[in-house]
Amino acid sequence: MSSSDVRRRERILKGNLFQAVLFICLPLAVYQLFNSAYNLIDQVICAQISTTAQNAVSSIGQIKNAISAFGGGLAAGGAVFVSRFYGAGKVKDAKHASANLLFLSIVLSIILTVLLIPLARPIMQLCQIAPESIEIGVGFFRLQLLELAFIGINNIFIGLEKAKGNSKSILKLNVLVLIIKMALTCLFIFGFDLKDIIYVELATIIGQAALTGIGVFVLFGKKNILKIELKNIFPKKEYIVPILKYSIPIFFGKFIMSMGKVVVNGLCGNYWNAATDGLIVGTLGVSNNICGVITSPTNTFEEGESTIVSQNLGNKNLKRAVKAFTRTLILVGSISIIGYVLMRFVFIDHLVELFTSSDELSDTYKVMVKEIFKYDSLSILALGFTAAVLGLLYGFGKTGLSTVLNFSRIGSRIVILIFLHNVFPDLAPTTCAGLSMAISNTVILLLSLTFLIIFLINLKKKGYKGMKLSDPEPEVSELVLE
């Protein structure tokens, strides 16, 4: 057990909470910013190939996000479960849970890869992607499905490092991955003049594979306090069941959210592909990725916050767990407001310029993205608040509410989109799609606030597993290695 593990744990359990939230969440936010940069870099480079190539990458991105929700949900739920043991000082249980979590991730990655790669073209057709984008993008999509196998294992590595509060190493390693990806992408596209989006994805796979190699080395390394041991990797009911209990609602919530976007994209493609030269689905994806420059980092606060909340609940410190939420809300709220103003009014023209090519479709593409983003940018504010609420709920194991929140957001968006299209047929496609986003973002904000108020009222009245908010804060429990 290293002294750095002890210091990180003590900071979470008894240090200054603002500092603890920043220490855990800021590296995670920067890490997610790099993940968003993956999408932005891919789209910027593909825009230099052609608007059709850029449109294909943007359209496929939403499908990839839906599929990756399974691995992401498993990692998030498993990390909460491991954090509870770690906060209580039960290292042996935390190691068993970590090993079982890795086992589940490997099985899930194999199943998804084997099942989905042969179905790449039908999946794209089902999602109403324009035929020309399918032709240019089907190989790219198959490689993305292969990439998800590496990402699944990487998510577990990152989740377990996060459970220990070791978010700095996550940041450092992902800077390395980003450098590998950028260097190889530029080498393939500009150095070797390989003007095919397949090589953009190949660079990403190599970067993710490098992180997988490092992750496996750390997970099985002797210096890792949660070292994975082969004797622990075989599934045990007392660990598998709780992991799935925490994880299934999270990945259903993430899947519903991402798949809902795919459904919305499919509806928009069905309604307006002909009227927009097949660009409507791609422009929706670009707008979403621009918002993601802010929402992706702020969404990681829910993961870092859940670690802090869960560890403190493991240490039987209910009051501090709730205080972690208030600190997170202040930080996320500030970042979201500043980010919204900057993205909406300062940098939008510069960002949209990055996604245009020199072909005849570029001016139309630019106008469509800006019109949709005008409404979609409200998600920056709504998702920032929701991230703080979900971090609190995840930490308390109330993961099922995330499914309700995401279903409500997407359900309302689909209903509103269908309503606007049928009742106001003269509305421009971008206006109709954008309004459905704006209204659904408002719905999720109000629903998150309602859930928060109800949860806090019940917590004050009933407490949590024998703990009360009026209880004095306990001493930090000792780490028990065996």
Side-chain angles (χ1 to χ4, degrees), residues 48-111:
Q48 307 311 307
I49 299 174
S50 70
T51 298
T52 301
Q54 194 279 331
N55 190 59
V57 170
S58 178
S59 303
I60 292 167
Q62 297 298 338
I63 308 174
K64 176 187 173 184
N65 289 341
I67 298 169
S68 66
F70 290 97
L74 180 63
V80 169
F81 183 58
V82 173
S83 295
R84 193 71 61 88
F85 283 128
Y86 194 65
K90 299 177 180 179
V91 175
K92 183 178 180 181
D93 284 318
K95 290 171 70 173
H96 277 283
S98 300
N100 276 214
L101 181 59
L102 180 61
F103 170 83
L104 284 173
S105 175
I106 293 172
V107 171
L108 180 63
S109 295
I110 292 172
I111 291 173

Side-chain angles (χ1 to χ4, degrees), residues 454-472:
I454 294 172
F455 177 78
L456 291 178
I457 290 174
N458 287 334
L459 197 64
K460 186 175 182 179
K461 287 181 178 179
K462 301 176 183 178
Y464 180 76
K465 293 187 175 179
M467 293 177 275
K468 299 287 186 181
L469 287 171
S470 57
D471 292 344

Side-chain angles (χ1 to χ4, degrees), residues 53 186 202 242 259 432 476:
C186 291
L202 182 60
M259 198 63 207
C432 193
V476 175

Side-chain angles (χ1 to χ4, degrees), residues 6 10 22 30 54 73-74 77 139 142 155 213 215 228-229 248 263 289 316 323 332 336 367 475:
V6 174
E10 289 184 348
L22 286 171
V30 176
Q54 194 279 331
L74 180 63
R142 288 191 178 112
N155 282 339
I228 303 293
E229 298 177 357
I248 288 174
V263 172
N289 283 323
K316 300 190 181 302
K323 286 181 180 178
V332 172
S336 297
V367 172
E475 294 295 323

Side-chain angles (χ1 to χ4, degrees), residues 1-270:
M1 176 175 57
S2 67
S3 58
S4 57
D5 287 325
V6 174
R7 287 196 304 270
R8 283 191 292 265
R9 183 169 176 270
E10 289 184 348
R11 180 185 286 113
I12 290 172
L13 298 180
K14 69 176 184 180
N16 180 282
L17 267 175
F18 266 120
Q19 292 179 4
V21 172
L22 286 171
F23 179 82
I24 299 297
C25 295
L26 276 185
L28 291 173
V30 176
Y31 150 68
Q32 193 58 51
L33 186 62
F34 286 141
N35 275 350
S36 296
Y38 280 178
N39 293 326
L40 292 173
I41 290 169
D42 286 351
Q43 291 182 29
V44 169
I45 291 176
C46 290
Q48 307 311 307
I49 299 174
S50 70
T51 298
T52 301
Q54 194 279 331
N55 190 59
V57 170
S58 178
S59 303
I60 292 167
Q62 297 298 338
I63 308 174
K64 176 187 173 184
N65 289 341
I67 298 169
S68 66
F70 290 97
L74 180 63
V80 169
F81 183 58
V82 173
S83 295
R84 193 71 61 88
F85 283 128
Y86 194 65
K90 299 177 180 179
V91 175
K92 183 178 180 181
D93 284 318
K95 290 171 70 173
H96 277 283
S98 300
N100 276 214
L101 181 59
L102 180 61
F103 170 83
L104 284 173
S105 175
I106 293 172
V107 171
L108 180 63
S109 295
I110 292 172
I111 291 173
L112 289 177
T113 301
V114 171
L115 285 180
L116 296 181
I117 286 180
L119 298 174
R121 185 181 293 271
I123 291 172
M124 296 173 74
Q125 291 170 338
L126 184 64
C127 296
Q128 292 292 319
I129 293 178
E132 59 271 22
S133 293
I134 293 177
E135 290 307 314
I136 197 173
V138 66
F140 177 87
F141 183 42
R142 288 191 178 112
L143 285 178
Q144 284 207 322
L145 293 172
L146 178 60
E147 178 200 347
L148 289 177
F150 292 107
I151 290 177
I153 297 173
N154 293 344
N155 282 339
I156 300 304
F157 165 57
I158 290 167
L160 293 177
E161 290 298 293
K162 181 185 68 181
K164 297 185 295 182
N166 189 18
S167 51
K168 281 189 177 179
S169 68
I170 298 172
L171 173 59
K172 292 176 183 177
L173 289 172
N174 279 278
V175 169
L176 174 63
V177 173
L178 182 63
I179 291 172
I180 293 172
K181 177 201 164 39
M182 289 181 65
L184 290 175
T185 301
C186 291
L187 178 64
F188 292 153
I189 302 300
F190 303 116
F192 296 153
D193 198 31
L194 300 171
K195 300 297 185 181
D196 191 321
I197 60 175
I198 285 178
Y199 295 100
V200 175
E201 179 57 25
L202 182 60
T204 303
I205 289 178
I206 294 172
Q208 289 293 342
L211 180 59
T212 300
I214 296 170
V216 170
F217 178 79
V218 173
L219 288 172
F220 288 87
K222 293 181 179 180
K223 294 183 180 180
N224 182 11
I225 193 172
L226 300 180
K227 177 186 176 183
I228 303 293
E229 298 177 357
L230 292 177
K231 65 180 182 181
N232 296 333
I233 206 167
F234 297 102
K236 292 186 178 180
K237 182 178 179 180
E238 61 265 36
Y239 302 110
I240 292 290
V241 172
I243 288 173
L244 293 177
K245 179 182 176 182
Y246 283 123
S247 301
I248 288 174
I250 295 178
F251 71 58
F252 266 122
K254 290 178 180 290
F255 179 76
I256 288 170
M257 181 65 196
S258 297
M259 198 63 207
K261 290 180 181 179
V262 174
V263 172
V264 169
N265 288 353
L267 285 173
C268 290
N270 184 54

